[in-house]
């Protein structure tokens, strides 16, 4: 363990997977070097100072580390992970590596993992298994596991014991250490494990290679302090820390100058943005207001927490301009009792009141949500309340999930009397409602002219283009390829449950007077 790691207060060192110790001794050995995140410890956090580092640079001795070599990163999970992959790709390129699209061609393979539900983890373990043959064919290949799963003790132990072809494990707080980690892996025959569970820093100036030049993600904060009882994120991503507004504004300005058309601000709980900035009184509302004056056509944010969604933000969003009229607002359940057990810190009525305020200020707003069904001991009546809330709000889209117990979270310890067959049935019923509401919302577009950001060829037909409206509706439309990357006006001719078909009528954005054309009543 080096001095820097010691100061960071966390783990770790190279672990030797070929160690001949007995299984019992072996796991003891790793526990002595790996200190996992725990609820008790995590809840004590928040007092430590957040350090901002603006001096990230690749030290000269690392330059050329990747000369003649190729990297491949497979990303699982949310946009935060997608964006972390862009940062890691930036670091790889700065080290002299080239990107490749195939694992067969790669000298380094990273799996940037997601821990949110069990099936996400199973997919990753399946992929780790598949990679064994590549390692056999090419023993020089480096295989690395990063992202949220690396922050879980049980996952690290399972890899150490059962997947010895893995060379590197590093955590979500160690991304900026990738050059050192790679170098260690080349120098050592042992598995390199570097997972800091004590976070607290915000690292600026990290290189990034964005996937595309039309839409960009911009982190505004990291971590989550909400501790919803089912959720692993506060442990895998650490405490809430906000980037300084001037850094965010500068990044968005640069993206606008580079011709990007759409920005999505990222955070696990963006409505808590700024709460930890002690020297200024500045929140998401102010940030959105400042971003309104930047010449970039669309600004979105994800993901919101209803509890922290304040009036000032609603007031700013109502000014529109480049602030789109689509809000993703995860509700999770329509039952106050379930929300209480989830520790969401709002009731059904408070959620509905928030929706009422948003709709009063932004009458044409489109709302989408996340819902978990089959929470431990969820009754039929409680599930019915979720369905009725969905109808009452009139959500236009939803990501729906069956509750998945996550080791170490409070909910995982709860007894659960709901059989899986009932959970599956509830999910089906909810999905039927979600489809019905989406189809209804889509139907109302037929005959209207909407603004679409043309992103590229349509997935199923390269002769037409695809893009999204301000309200995030997918549109497949006839238009010349020269408009890719631009805003265009599209007349909608047909509605499907989850997408629209149309024809371009004119290039260029729709003016403020027309934005209402998208209004769905
Ligand atoms: N089980 C099922 N769904 C979950 N989510 C988060 N944790 C779990 C879990 N343990 C869902 C929530 C969240 C979305 C990103 O994933 O709905 O909003
Ligand atoms: Fe997880 Fe979101 Fe709750 Fe944070 S606010 S604990 S990320 S569900």
């Amino acid at each position: 363990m080096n001095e820097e790691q010691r100061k960071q207060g966390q783990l770790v060192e190279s672990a030797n997977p070929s160690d001949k110790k007995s299984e019992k001794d072996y796991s003891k050995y790793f526990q002595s070097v790996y200190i996992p995140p725990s609820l008790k410890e995590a809840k004590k956090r928040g007092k430590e100072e957040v350090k901002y580092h603006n001096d990230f640079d690749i030290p000269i001795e690392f330059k050329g580390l990747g000369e003649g070599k190729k990297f491949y990163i497979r990303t699982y999970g949310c946009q935060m992970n997608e964006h972390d992959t862009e940062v890691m790709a930036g670091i790889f390129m700065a080290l002299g590596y080239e990107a490749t699209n195939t694992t067969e061609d790669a000298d380094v393979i990273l799996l940037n993992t997601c821990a949110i539900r069990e099936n996400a983890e199973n997919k990753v373990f399946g992929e780790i298994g598949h990679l064994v043959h590549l390692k056999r064919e090419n023993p020089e290949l480096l295989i690395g596991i990063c992202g949220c799963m690396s922050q879980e003790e049980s996952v690290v132990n399972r890899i150490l014991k059962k997947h010895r072809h893995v060379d590197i494990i590093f955590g979500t707080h160690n991304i900026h250490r990738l050059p050192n980690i790679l170098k260690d892996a080349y120098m050592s025959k042992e598995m390199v494990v570097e997972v800091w569970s004590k976070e607290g820093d915000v690292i600026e100036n990290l290189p990034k290679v964005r996937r595309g030049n039309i839409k960009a993600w911009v982190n505004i904060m990291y971590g989550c302090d909400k501790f919803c009882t089912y959720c692993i994120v506060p442990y895998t991503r650490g405490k809430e820390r906000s980037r300084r507004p001037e850094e965010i504004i500068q990044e968005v300005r640069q993206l606008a100058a580079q011709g990007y058309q759409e920005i999505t601000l990222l955070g696990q709980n963006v409505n808590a943005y700024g709460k930890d900035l002690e020297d200024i009184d500045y929140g998401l509302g102010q940030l959105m207001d400042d971003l309104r004056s930047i010449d970039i056509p669309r600004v979105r944010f994800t993901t919101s927490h209803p509890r922290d969604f304040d009036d000032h933000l609603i007031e700013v969003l109502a000014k529109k301009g480049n602030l789109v009229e689509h809000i993703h607002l995860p509700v999770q359940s329509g039952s106050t009792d379930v929300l209480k057990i989830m520790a969401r810190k709002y009731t059904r009525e408070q959620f509905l009141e928030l929706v009422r305020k948003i709709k009063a200020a932004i009458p044409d707003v489109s709302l989408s949500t996340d819902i978990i069904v089959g929470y431990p001991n969820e009754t039929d009546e409680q599930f019915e309340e979720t369905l009725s809330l969905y109808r009452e709000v009139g959500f236009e889209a939803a990501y729906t999930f069956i509750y998945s117990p996550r080791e170490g979270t409070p909910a995982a310890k709860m007894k659960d009397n709901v059989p899986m067959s009932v959970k599956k049935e509830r999910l089906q019923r909810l999905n039927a409602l979600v489809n019905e509401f989406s189809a209804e919302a889509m139907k109302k577009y037929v005959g209207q002219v909407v603004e679409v950001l043309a992103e590229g060829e349509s997935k199923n037909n390269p002769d037409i283009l695809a893009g999204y409206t301000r309200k995030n509706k997918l549109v497949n439309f006839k238009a010349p390829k020269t408009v890719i990357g631009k805003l265009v006006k599209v007349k909608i001719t047909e509605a499907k449950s989850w997408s629209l078909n149309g024809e371009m009528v004119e290039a260029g954005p729709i003016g403020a007077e027309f934005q209402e054309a998208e209004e769905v009543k």
Side-chain angles (χ1 to χ4, degrees), residues 142-191:
L142 287 186
I143 298 177
I145 310 298
C146 57
C148 288
M149 281 170 69
S150 331
Q151 296 289 143
E152 292 179 278
E153 183 194 23
S154 58
V155 168
V156 174
N157 282 335
R158 181 167 161 188
I159 296 172
L160 287 166
K161 281 184 205 156
K162 297 200 178 140
H163 300 282
R164 297 179 178 200
H165 59 292
V166 169
D167 304 280
I168 299 169
I169 306 177
F170 63 99
T172 55
H173 310 302
N174 306 69
I175 289 175
H176 63 291
R177 298 256 316 146
L178 184 56
N180 310 61
I181 293 167
L182 286 167
K183 190 146 192 229
D184 286 355
Y186 285 125
M187 309 282 287
S188 152
K189 294 230 163 346
E190 301 175 352
M191 197 186 295

Short mmCIF file of all heavy atoms in Angstrom, two decimals, residues 142-191:
data_model
loop_
_atom_site.label_atom_id
_atom_site.label_comp_id
_atom_site.label_asym_id
_atom_site.label_seq_id
_atom_site.Cartn_x
_atom_site.Cartn_y
_atom_site.Cartn_z
N LEU A 142 -4.76 -8.15 -20.72
CA LEU A 142 -5.16 -7.72 -19.37
C LEU A 142 -6.68 -7.63 -19.32
O LEU A 142 -7.30 -7.01 -20.18
CB LEU A 142 -4.60 -6.33 -19.05
CG LEU A 142 -3.11 -6.18 -18.77
CD1 LEU A 142 -2.82 -4.74 -18.34
CD2 LEU A 142 -2.65 -7.16 -17.69
N ILE A 143 -7.27 -8.26 -18.31
CA ILE A 143 -8.72 -8.19 -18.13
C ILE A 143 -9.00 -7.45 -16.82
O ILE A 143 -8.45 -7.81 -15.77
CB ILE A 143 -9.35 -9.59 -18.08
CG1 ILE A 143 -9.10 -10.30 -19.43
CG2 ILE A 143 -10.85 -9.52 -17.78
CD1 ILE A 143 -9.60 -11.73 -19.48
N GLY A 144 -9.82 -6.40 -16.90
CA GLY A 144 -10.09 -5.59 -15.71
C GLY A 144 -11.57 -5.46 -15.42
O GLY A 144 -12.40 -5.43 -16.33
N ILE A 145 -11.92 -5.38 -14.14
CA ILE A 145 -13.31 -5.18 -13.71
C ILE A 145 -13.35 -3.87 -12.95
O ILE A 145 -12.57 -3.68 -11.99
CB ILE A 145 -13.78 -6.32 -12.77
CG1 ILE A 145 -13.48 -7.70 -13.37
CG2 ILE A 145 -15.27 -6.17 -12.42
CD1 ILE A 145 -14.17 -8.01 -14.67
N CYS A 146 -14.23 -2.97 -13.38
CA CYS A 146 -14.35 -1.69 -12.67
C CYS A 146 -15.84 -1.36 -12.54
O CYS A 146 -16.68 -2.20 -12.83
CB CYS A 146 -13.59 -0.59 -13.42
SG CYS A 146 -14.11 -0.39 -15.13
N GLY A 147 -16.16 -0.16 -12.08
CA GLY A 147 -17.57 0.21 -11.93
C GLY A 147 -18.13 -0.24 -10.59
O GLY A 147 -17.38 -0.62 -9.67
N CYS A 148 -19.46 -0.23 -10.48
CA CYS A 148 -20.10 -0.39 -9.17
C CYS A 148 -19.87 -1.75 -8.53
O CYS A 148 -19.76 -1.86 -7.31
CB CYS A 148 -21.59 -0.11 -9.30
SG CYS A 148 -21.92 1.64 -9.55
N MET A 149 -19.80 -2.83 -9.34
CA MET A 149 -19.62 -4.16 -8.72
C MET A 149 -18.29 -4.26 -7.98
O MET A 149 -18.17 -4.99 -7.00
CB MET A 149 -19.71 -5.26 -9.78
CG MET A 149 -21.14 -5.60 -10.15
SD MET A 149 -21.22 -6.69 -11.58
CE MET A 149 -20.58 -8.23 -10.93
N SER A 150 -17.29 -3.54 -8.45
CA SER A 150 -15.98 -3.61 -7.79
C SER A 150 -16.01 -3.04 -6.38
O SER A 150 -15.10 -3.27 -5.60
CB SER A 150 -14.92 -2.82 -8.55
OG SER A 150 -15.19 -2.78 -9.89
N GLN A 151 -17.06 -2.25 -6.09
CA GLN A 151 -17.15 -1.66 -4.75
C GLN A 151 -17.78 -2.64 -3.75
O GLN A 151 -17.90 -2.32 -2.57
CB GLN A 151 -17.99 -0.38 -4.79
CG GLN A 151 -17.40 0.74 -5.62
CD GLN A 151 -16.16 1.40 -5.03
OE1 GLN A 151 -15.25 1.78 -5.75
NE2 GLN A 151 -16.12 1.54 -3.71
N GLU A 152 -18.18 -3.82 -4.23
CA GLU A 152 -18.84 -4.77 -3.33
C GLU A 152 -17.86 -5.84 -2.89
O GLU A 152 -17.25 -6.52 -3.73
CB GLU A 152 -20.00 -5.46 -4.06
CG GLU A 152 -21.15 -4.54 -4.38
CD GLU A 152 -22.23 -5.30 -5.11
OE1 GLU A 152 -22.11 -5.47 -6.34
OE2 GLU A 152 -23.16 -5.75 -4.46
N GLU A 153 -17.76 -6.04 -1.61
CA GLU A 153 -16.81 -7.00 -1.06
C GLU A 153 -17.05 -8.40 -1.60
O GLU A 153 -16.12 -9.11 -1.99
CB GLU A 153 -16.91 -7.01 0.46
CG GLU A 153 -15.90 -7.93 1.09
CD GLU A 153 -16.23 -8.21 2.55
OE1 GLU A 153 -17.40 -8.07 2.95
OE2 GLU A 153 -15.30 -8.58 3.27
N SER A 154 -18.34 -8.79 -1.65
CA SER A 154 -18.64 -10.16 -2.05
C SER A 154 -18.21 -10.40 -3.50
O SER A 154 -17.75 -11.49 -3.85
CB SER A 154 -20.13 -10.44 -1.88
OG SER A 154 -20.87 -9.52 -2.65
N VAL A 155 -18.36 -9.38 -4.32
CA VAL A 155 -17.97 -9.52 -5.73
C VAL A 155 -16.45 -9.66 -5.84
O VAL A 155 -15.93 -10.53 -6.55
CB VAL A 155 -18.47 -8.29 -6.55
CG1 VAL A 155 -17.83 -8.27 -7.93
CG2 VAL A 155 -19.99 -8.31 -6.65
N VAL A 156 -15.75 -8.80 -5.12
CA VAL A 156 -14.28 -8.85 -5.18
C VAL A 156 -13.80 -10.22 -4.71
O VAL A 156 -12.97 -10.86 -5.37
CB VAL A 156 -13.65 -7.71 -4.32
CG1 VAL A 156 -12.13 -7.85 -4.27
CG2 VAL A 156 -14.03 -6.35 -4.90
N ASN A 157 -14.37 -10.70 -3.63
CA ASN A 157 -13.94 -12.02 -3.13
C ASN A 157 -14.25 -13.13 -4.13
O ASN A 157 -13.44 -14.04 -4.31
CB ASN A 157 -14.62 -12.32 -1.78
CG ASN A 157 -13.93 -11.58 -0.65
OD1 ASN A 157 -12.75 -11.25 -0.77
ND2 ASN A 157 -14.65 -11.30 0.41
N ARG A 158 -15.41 -13.04 -4.76
CA ARG A 158 -15.78 -14.09 -5.74
C ARG A 158 -14.80 -14.08 -6.92
O ARG A 158 -14.38 -15.14 -7.39
CB ARG A 158 -17.21 -13.82 -6.22
CG ARG A 158 -17.71 -14.85 -7.20
CD ARG A 158 -19.21 -14.69 -7.38
NE ARG A 158 -19.67 -15.33 -8.60
CZ ARG A 158 -20.89 -15.22 -9.08
NH1 ARG A 158 -21.79 -14.49 -8.44
NH2 ARG A 158 -21.23 -15.83 -10.20
N ILE A 159 -14.43 -12.89 -7.37
CA ILE A 159 -13.49 -12.82 -8.50
C ILE A 159 -12.12 -13.35 -8.07
O ILE A 159 -11.47 -14.13 -8.78
CB ILE A 159 -13.38 -11.38 -9.03
CG1 ILE A 159 -14.72 -10.94 -9.61
CG2 ILE A 159 -12.28 -11.27 -10.09
CD1 ILE A 159 -14.79 -9.48 -10.00
N LEU A 160 -11.71 -12.95 -6.86
CA LEU A 160 -10.41 -13.40 -6.37
C LEU A 160 -10.34 -14.91 -6.27
O LEU A 160 -9.33 -15.54 -6.55
CB LEU A 160 -10.13 -12.78 -5.00
CG LEU A 160 -9.80 -11.28 -5.00
CD1 LEU A 160 -9.87 -10.72 -3.59
CD2 LEU A 160 -8.43 -11.02 -5.59
N LYS A 161 -11.46 -15.52 -5.90
CA LYS A 161 -11.44 -16.96 -5.69
C LYS A 161 -11.71 -17.74 -6.97
O LYS A 161 -11.10 -18.76 -7.21
CB LYS A 161 -12.53 -17.34 -4.67
CG LYS A 161 -12.11 -17.06 -3.26
CD LYS A 161 -13.19 -17.56 -2.31
CE LYS A 161 -13.13 -16.78 -1.03
NZ LYS A 161 -14.39 -16.78 -0.31
N LYS A 162 -12.64 -17.24 -7.78
CA LYS A 162 -13.12 -18.09 -8.87
C LYS A 162 -12.74 -17.62 -10.27
O LYS A 162 -12.96 -18.33 -11.24
CB LYS A 162 -14.65 -18.18 -8.81
CG LYS A 162 -15.13 -18.84 -7.55
CD LYS A 162 -16.53 -19.34 -7.73
CE LYS A 162 -16.99 -20.04 -6.47
NZ LYS A 162 -18.38 -19.74 -6.16
N HIS A 163 -12.28 -16.41 -10.40
CA HIS A 163 -12.01 -15.90 -11.75
C HIS A 163 -10.58 -15.36 -11.81
O HIS A 163 -10.35 -14.16 -11.92
CB HIS A 163 -13.02 -14.81 -12.12
CG HIS A 163 -14.43 -15.29 -12.10
ND1 HIS A 163 -14.98 -16.04 -13.11
CD2 HIS A 163 -15.40 -15.16 -11.16
CE1 HIS A 163 -16.24 -16.33 -12.81
NE2 HIS A 163 -16.52 -15.82 -11.62
N ARG A 164 -9.66 -16.29 -11.71
CA ARG A 164 -8.27 -15.86 -11.57
C ARG A 164 -7.65 -15.34 -12.86
O ARG A 164 -6.51 -14.91 -12.87
CB ARG A 164 -7.45 -17.00 -10.99
CG ARG A 164 -7.95 -17.33 -9.60
CD ARG A 164 -7.17 -18.48 -9.02
NE ARG A 164 -7.63 -18.74 -7.67
CZ ARG A 164 -6.94 -19.39 -6.78
NH1 ARG A 164 -5.75 -19.84 -7.08
NH2 ARG A 164 -7.44 -19.59 -5.58
N HIS A 165 -8.42 -15.44 -13.94
CA HIS A 165 -7.90 -14.85 -15.19
C HIS A 165 -8.09 -13.34 -15.21
O HIS A 165 -7.62 -12.67 -16.13
CB HIS A 165 -8.57 -15.50 -16.40
CG HIS A 165 -10.07 -15.36 -16.43
ND1 HIS A 165 -10.89 -15.98 -15.52
CD2 HIS A 165 -10.88 -14.66 -17.25
CE1 HIS A 165 -12.15 -15.68 -15.77
NE2 HIS A 165 -12.17 -14.88 -16.82
N VAL A 166 -8.80 -12.80 -14.21
CA VAL A 166 -8.94 -11.34 -14.12
C VAL A 166 -7.63 -10.77 -13.56
O VAL A 166 -7.05 -11.31 -12.62
CB VAL A 166 -10.13 -10.97 -13.20
CG1 VAL A 166 -10.15 -9.49 -12.88
CG2 VAL A 166 -11.44 -11.39 -13.87
N ASP A 167 -7.14 -9.68 -14.18
CA ASP A 167 -5.86 -9.10 -13.76
C ASP A 167 -6.01 -7.88 -12.88
O ASP A 167 -5.12 -7.54 -12.11
CB ASP A 167 -5.05 -8.67 -15.01
CG ASP A 167 -4.85 -9.83 -15.96
OD1 ASP A 167 -3.95 -10.63 -15.70
OD2 ASP A 167 -5.62 -9.94 -16.94
N ILE A 168 -7.16 -7.17 -13.05
CA ILE A 168 -7.30 -5.87 -12.40
C ILE A 168 -8.71 -5.73 -11.84
O ILE A 168 -9.68 -6.08 -12.52
CB ILE A 168 -7.14 -4.73 -13.45
CG1 ILE A 168 -5.77 -4.75 -14.11
CG2 ILE A 168 -7.43 -3.37 -12.84
CD1 ILE A 168 -5.68 -3.81 -15.32
N ILE A 169 -8.82 -5.21 -10.62
CA ILE A 169 -10.14 -4.76 -10.12
C ILE A 169 -9.93 -3.36 -9.58
O ILE A 169 -9.03 -3.14 -8.75
CB ILE A 169 -10.67 -5.65 -8.98
CG1 ILE A 169 -10.71 -7.13 -9.40
CG2 ILE A 169 -12.05 -5.19 -8.54
CD1 ILE A 169 -11.16 -8.07 -8.28
N PHE A 170 -10.69 -2.40 -10.06
CA PHE A 170 -10.59 -1.07 -9.44
C PHE A 170 -11.97 -0.44 -9.31
O PHE A 170 -12.90 -0.75 -10.05
CB PHE A 170 -9.61 -0.14 -10.17
CG PHE A 170 -9.97 0.20 -11.58
CD1 PHE A 170 -10.58 1.42 -11.87
CD2 PHE A 170 -9.67 -0.66 -12.62
CE1 PHE A 170 -10.90 1.75 -13.19
CE2 PHE A 170 -9.99 -0.34 -13.93
CZ PHE A 170 -10.60 0.87 -14.22
N GLY A 171 -12.09 0.44 -8.32
CA GLY A 171 -13.41 0.95 -7.93
C GLY A 171 -13.79 2.26 -8.61
O GLY A 171 -13.02 2.82 -9.41
N THR A 172 -14.99 2.74 -8.27
CA THR A 172 -15.51 3.95 -8.91
C THR A 172 -14.76 5.21 -8.47
O THR A 172 -14.84 6.24 -9.13
CB THR A 172 -17.01 4.15 -8.58
OG1 THR A 172 -17.14 4.15 -7.15
CG2 THR A 172 -17.86 3.04 -9.14
N HIS A 173 -14.04 5.13 -7.34
CA HIS A 173 -13.28 6.30 -6.88
C HIS A 173 -11.84 6.26 -7.36
O HIS A 173 -11.01 7.07 -6.94
CB HIS A 173 -13.29 6.39 -5.35
CG HIS A 173 -14.66 6.28 -4.77
ND1 HIS A 173 -15.68 7.14 -5.12
CD2 HIS A 173 -15.20 5.40 -3.89
CE1 HIS A 173 -16.78 6.79 -4.48
NE2 HIS A 173 -16.51 5.74 -3.74
N ASN A 174 -11.52 5.27 -8.18
CA ASN A 174 -10.11 5.07 -8.56
C ASN A 174 -9.87 5.27 -10.06
O ASN A 174 -8.80 4.95 -10.55
CB ASN A 174 -9.68 3.64 -8.19
CG ASN A 174 -9.93 3.33 -6.74
OD1 ASN A 174 -11.08 3.23 -6.33
ND2 ASN A 174 -8.88 3.22 -5.96
N ILE A 175 -10.88 5.80 -10.75
CA ILE A 175 -10.76 5.91 -12.21
C ILE A 175 -9.53 6.72 -12.62
O ILE A 175 -8.80 6.36 -13.53
CB ILE A 175 -12.06 6.52 -12.79
CG1 ILE A 175 -13.17 5.48 -12.68
CG2 ILE A 175 -11.89 6.99 -14.23
CD1 ILE A 175 -14.54 5.97 -13.09
N HIS A 176 -9.29 7.82 -11.89
CA HIS A 176 -8.15 8.68 -12.25
C HIS A 176 -6.81 7.97 -12.02
O HIS A 176 -5.78 8.43 -12.45
CB HIS A 176 -8.20 9.98 -11.43
CG HIS A 176 -8.07 9.74 -9.95
ND1 HIS A 176 -9.05 9.12 -9.22
CD2 HIS A 176 -7.06 10.00 -9.09
CE1 HIS A 176 -8.65 9.03 -7.96
NE2 HIS A 176 -7.45 9.55 -7.86
N ARG A 177 -6.86 6.84 -11.31
CA ARG A 177 -5.63 6.09 -11.02
C ARG A 177 -5.35 5.04 -12.11
O ARG A 177 -4.41 4.26 -11.98
CB ARG A 177 -5.78 5.40 -9.66
CG ARG A 177 -5.97 6.38 -8.51
CD ARG A 177 -4.74 6.57 -7.70
NE ARG A 177 -4.10 5.31 -7.42
CZ ARG A 177 -2.78 5.14 -7.33
NH1 ARG A 177 -1.97 6.18 -7.47
NH2 ARG A 177 -2.27 3.95 -7.08
N LEU A 178 -6.15 5.04 -13.17
CA LEU A 178 -6.01 4.02 -14.21
C LEU A 178 -4.58 3.89 -14.75
O LEU A 178 -4.08 2.77 -14.90
CB LEU A 178 -7.03 4.29 -15.34
CG LEU A 178 -7.11 3.28 -16.48
CD1 LEU A 178 -7.38 1.87 -15.98
CD2 LEU A 178 -8.20 3.68 -17.48
N PRO A 179 -3.86 5.00 -15.00
CA PRO A 179 -2.49 4.83 -15.50
C PRO A 179 -1.62 4.01 -14.54
O PRO A 179 -0.94 3.08 -14.96
CB PRO A 179 -1.96 6.27 -15.61
CG PRO A 179 -3.19 7.11 -15.76
CD PRO A 179 -4.26 6.43 -14.96
N ASN A 180 -1.71 4.33 -13.24
CA ASN A 180 -0.89 3.60 -12.25
C ASN A 180 -1.32 2.14 -12.17
O ASN A 180 -0.50 1.24 -12.06
CB ASN A 180 -1.07 4.21 -10.84
CG ASN A 180 -0.87 5.70 -10.85
OD1 ASN A 180 -1.60 6.43 -11.51
ND2 ASN A 180 0.14 6.16 -10.14
N ILE A 181 -2.65 1.94 -12.23
CA ILE A 181 -3.18 0.57 -12.12
C ILE A 181 -2.70 -0.28 -13.29
O ILE A 181 -2.26 -1.42 -13.12
CB ILE A 181 -4.72 0.61 -12.04
CG1 ILE A 181 -5.17 1.29 -10.73
CG2 ILE A 181 -5.32 -0.79 -12.14
CD1 ILE A 181 -6.64 1.67 -10.67
N LEU A 182 -2.74 0.30 -14.50
CA LEU A 182 -2.28 -0.45 -15.68
C LEU A 182 -0.80 -0.77 -15.55
O LEU A 182 -0.35 -1.88 -15.82
CB LEU A 182 -2.53 0.38 -16.95
CG LEU A 182 -3.99 0.47 -17.41
CD1 LEU A 182 -4.15 1.56 -18.47
CD2 LEU A 182 -4.48 -0.87 -17.95
N LYS A 183 -0.04 0.23 -15.12
CA LYS A 183 1.41 0.02 -15.00
C LYS A 183 1.68 -1.10 -13.99
O LYS A 183 2.48 -2.00 -14.26
CB LYS A 183 2.09 1.32 -14.57
CG LYS A 183 3.58 1.24 -14.65
CD LYS A 183 4.20 2.55 -15.03
CE LYS A 183 5.66 2.31 -15.39
NZ LYS A 183 6.54 3.24 -14.72
N ASP A 184 0.98 -1.04 -12.85
CA ASP A 184 1.16 -2.10 -11.83
C ASP A 184 0.83 -3.46 -12.42
O ASP A 184 1.50 -4.45 -12.15
CB ASP A 184 0.23 -1.85 -10.63
CG ASP A 184 0.72 -0.70 -9.76
OD1 ASP A 184 1.82 -0.19 -10.05
OD2 ASP A 184 0.00 -0.32 -8.83
N ALA A 185 -0.23 -3.50 -13.23
CA ALA A 185 -0.66 -4.79 -13.80
C ALA A 185 0.40 -5.34 -14.76
O ALA A 185 0.63 -6.55 -14.81
CB ALA A 185 -2.00 -4.63 -14.50
N TYR A 186 1.04 -4.45 -15.52
CA TYR A 186 2.09 -4.92 -16.43
C TYR A 186 3.32 -5.42 -15.68
O TYR A 186 4.01 -6.32 -16.10
CB TYR A 186 2.52 -3.80 -17.39
CG TYR A 186 1.51 -3.51 -18.48
CD1 TYR A 186 1.00 -2.24 -18.66
CD2 TYR A 186 1.07 -4.53 -19.34
CE1 TYR A 186 0.06 -1.98 -19.66
CE2 TYR A 186 0.14 -4.28 -20.34
CZ TYR A 186 -0.36 -3.00 -20.49
OH TYR A 186 -1.28 -2.74 -21.48
N MET A 187 3.58 -4.79 -14.51
CA MET A 187 4.80 -5.11 -13.77
C MET A 187 4.62 -6.36 -12.92
O MET A 187 5.60 -6.96 -12.51
CB MET A 187 5.15 -3.97 -12.79
CG MET A 187 5.20 -2.59 -13.41
SD MET A 187 6.69 -2.30 -14.32
CE MET A 187 7.81 -2.14 -12.98
N SER A 188 3.34 -6.67 -12.60
CA SER A 188 3.13 -7.68 -11.57
C SER A 188 2.45 -8.91 -12.16
O SER A 188 1.65 -8.82 -13.09
CB SER A 188 2.25 -7.05 -10.48
OG SER A 188 1.51 -8.01 -9.85
N LYS A 189 2.74 -10.06 -11.58
CA LYS A 189 2.06 -11.28 -12.01
C LYS A 189 0.79 -11.47 -11.16
O LYS A 189 0.03 -12.39 -11.35
CB LYS A 189 2.97 -12.50 -11.83
CG LYS A 189 4.19 -12.51 -12.72
CD LYS A 189 4.31 -13.87 -13.42
CE LYS A 189 5.22 -13.91 -14.62
NZ LYS A 189 5.65 -12.69 -15.23
N GLU A 190 0.62 -10.61 -10.19
CA GLU A 190 -0.51 -10.75 -9.27
C GLU A 190 -1.70 -9.90 -9.72
O GLU A 190 -1.53 -8.95 -10.47
CB GLU A 190 -0.07 -10.30 -7.88
CG GLU A 190 1.10 -11.10 -7.36
CD GLU A 190 1.62 -10.58 -6.04
OE1 GLU A 190 1.17 -9.50 -5.62
OE2 GLU A 190 2.47 -11.25 -5.46
N MET A 191 -2.86 -10.26 -9.20
CA MET A 191 -4.04 -9.46 -9.51
C MET A 191 -3.90 -8.11 -8.80
O MET A 191 -3.56 -8.07 -7.61
CB MET A 191 -5.31 -10.18 -9.01
CG MET A 191 -6.56 -9.65 -9.64
SD MET A 191 -8.09 -10.33 -8.96
CE MET A 191 -8.06 -12.04 -9.38
#
